[in-house]
Amino acid sequence: MKQHIDTAPVWEGYRQDCECPMCLLHARAENANVSYFLGESVMEPSQRVEVNEKGFCAVHFKRMYDVGNRLGLALMTHTYMKQTSKRLSDIASQARQAAADETGKPIFKRFGGSRGAGFQGPVDALRAIEESCLICERVRENMERYMYTVLYMYRHEAEFPELFARSKGMCLRHYAQALEMAPKHLSGDLLKRFVDTLTDIETKSFERLDGEIEWFTSKFDYRNQDKPWGNSRDAVKRSINKLCHQVIED
Ligand SMILES: [Zn+2]
Ligand SMILES: [Zn+2]
C-alpha cells in the first residue's frame, strides 16, 4: 500500500479508555458513510449507478432513515427500488417455474433430498439483494485501512507499541481481523511481539470482564447492596461489546 497513511484517528482511538479502539473507528467510518450517502455527492451519476446496483442492508437503511434527510433517501430508494423491481421479475419467473416443476413431477419423485431444489435459486437471489450493502462494503474497506494503519504504526511509530500494550485489546471481531492481517504486514520478532502483546491483553481483558460481570450479578444479592459497584455498573454492556463488536452504543 503506497497511499497516504492517516495515523491521527488511530492515535485518537487508542487514547480512549474503551474495550475496543477499533470499534470506535468502526463507528466513525459508519457515521461518515451514512452522512456521505445522504449528502450531495451521491447524486453524481456514477455513484447513483453503484447505489442502484448494490443498495443497503436493513441496518444501514434504518440508520439513514433515522438521520432524517427524507428527500435524499427517497430519491435513492426510488431508483434502487426500480432496479430491484427489474431483478424481481426474473426471480418471480424462477419461483413460478420452480413451483410448476415441482407440481409436474411424478408422484414418486416428489419426496427425498431434491424436494423443492428448484426454489434455491430464487431464495438465494432474494437473500443476496437483501444483504447487499454499499455502506457495509465501504466500512469493510475503511476498517481494513485502519487495521493496516495500526500495524504500520506498530512498526514505524516509536510510541505506539507502548500505548497499544496499555489498551484493553479488541472485540472478538476485530481481534480476528488483527490476527488475519498481522502476518501480511509484520514479520519476524515484530509479528511475534504484536501477536503476543495483543493476545495477552485480550486474555486479561476477558478475565477482568469475567470478574466485573460476576460482581454485577452479586450486587443483586441484598447482602451486597451497600457495597460499591466498582467498575461493574456497565459490565453487561462492555461484555456484550467485547464478545461481538460494539453493538450497544454508549
Ligand atoms: Zn471491535
Ligand atoms: Zn450495511
Side-chain angles (χ1 to χ4, degrees), residues 56-60 133-136:
F56 303 102
C57 68
V59 170
H60 290 129
C133 177
L134 197 45
I135 294 184
C136 280

Side-chain angles (χ1 to χ4, degrees), residues 37 84 103 133 158 232:
F37 282 103
T84 307
T103 312
C133 177
S232 292

Side-chain angles (χ1 to χ4, degrees), residues 20 22-23 171 174 245:
C20 179
M22 300 313 287
C23 276
C171 68
H174 291 131
H245 83 123

